[in-house]
Amino acid sequence: NAGVTQTPKFRVLKTGQSMTLLCAQDMNHEYMYWYRQDPGMGLRLIHYSVGEGTTAKGEVPDGYNVSRLKKQNFLLGLESAAPSQTSVYFCASRRHRNQPQHFGDGTRLSIL
Amino acid sequence: AQSVTQLGSHVSVSEGALVLLRCNYSSSVPPYLFWYVQYPNQGLQLLLKYTTGATLVKGINGFEAEFKKSETSFHLTKPSAHMSDAAEYFCAVSDGSGNTGKLIFGQGTTLQVKP
């Protein structure tokens, strides 16, 4: 009964390094989302996907890329990390567009 | 465009007192509204949701919220606070008529419960 699993849970990067965050869901959900959470700003949508092979930009997409090659996985990439990308990243998924989103436990990313 | 405003970034109540967390939304279409709770170092957990029908919605852990269209509000209440309710609470709105299911979140309210 894993739900939404995010890997890794913590990571420290140097400015300019690249990395990929993995989100996996075992609920056969169509919709998947990547958010970042910063103090006092709530959660802001980075990118989302409405189905396998599709992606779209959210509110704050700059500096990030995503891929949804398999229905159960949604990858978030940082090509050249910047200190402004220090944040907690959450992945979420839902079965239908009007159902609640299910969240992972987050990835805490620090960029020095 | 949709938006959510949570009034008060920090709310402090005594154990056993009423909890009231305020949420106002803006939406050009009938909204779907959600309250989520986040405990330290965890993800968000759904408390309750409003889609259509009854405007008073009951959720988990004794929380409830009332959708008031005329006031564009969806305030969260609990009659008697418990120490375990201390957490951060997020109100969110979804475009029920769109195809993306995107959520717009408020900035969050941290609830402190004093013994």
Side-chain angles (χ1 to χ4, degrees):
Chain A
N1 192 21
V4 178
T5 303
Q6 292 184 233
T7 309
K9 297 188 184 304
F10 304 92
R11 187 74 182 267
V12 178
L13 292 178
K14 294 181 179 179
T15 296
Q17 287 185 317
S18 64
M19 79 161 295
T20 300
L21 281 64
L22 172 63
C23 176
Q25 53 94 3
D26 61 2
M27 298 174 283
N28 200 35
H29 285 175
E30 291 293 333
Y31 299 80
M32 297 188 74
Y33 308 84
W34 274 109
Y35 295 91
R36 59 178 289 171
Q37 183 180 25
D38 302 292
M41 302 188 74
L43 278 76
R44 293 180 292 169
L45 183 65
I46 305 171
H47 286 280
Y48 64 99
S49 169
V50 300
E52 181 178 321
T54 73
T55 63
K57 294 181 179 180
E59 181 185 0
V60 288
D62 294 342
Y64 305 95
N65 57 74
V66 289
S67 65
R68 182 107 182 261
L69 299 180
K70 294 182 179 181
K71 186 177 184 179
Q72 63 268 32
N73 295 337
F74 195 29
L75 278 62
L76 178 71
L78 286 72
E79 293 184 345
S80 179
S84 60
Q85 294 176 305
T86 293
S87 188
V88 182
Y89 292 86
F90 286 99
C91 177
S93 70
R94 64 164 63 173
R95 182 176 300 277
H96 302 299
R97 59 180 171 84
N98 296 330
Q99 293 299 310
Q101 294 184 11
H102 297 258
F103 284 80
D105 285 340
T107 294
R108 285 151 185 79
L109 183 60
S110 292
I111 299 163
L112 306 178
Chain B
Q2 295 172 302
S3 65
V4 175
T5 301
Q6 291 182 236
L7 300 178
S9 59
H10 289 85
V11 171
S12 181
V13 300
S14 298
E15 190 174 19
L18 172 71
V19 175
L20 171 61
L21 304 182
R22 300 178 187 274
C23 172
N24 287 89
Y25 70 91
S26 173
S27 179
S28 58
V29 298
Y32 287 16
L33 295 159
F34 305 84
W35 274 100
Y36 284 86
V37 60
Q38 183 182 33
Y39 299 103
N41 298 316
Q42 294 187 23
L44 279 68
Q45 178 183 355
L46 180 70
L47 274 178
L48 50 80
K49 64 176 181 177
Y50 169 79
T51 53
T52 58
T55 57
L56 182 62
V57 180
K58 295 186 184 298
I60 62 172
N61 302 338
F63 285 94
E64 63 182 35
E66 186 172 10
F67 169 61
K68 292 186 176 180
K69 184 178 179 180
S70 62
E71 299 179 6
T72 61
S73 68
F74 191 57
H75 301 332
L76 182 70
T77 61
K78 182 175 181 178
S80 177
H82 191 273
M83 296 296 291
S84 61
D85 294 327
E88 189 162 20
Y89 293 79
F90 292 94
C91 181
V93 62
S94 174
D95 178 359
S97 65
N99 189 40
T100 65
K102 293 188 293 184
L103 286 177
I104 305 298
F105 284 87
Q107 69 272 37
T109 298
T110 300
L111 176 65
Q112 180 188 21
V113 182
K114 298 178 291 185

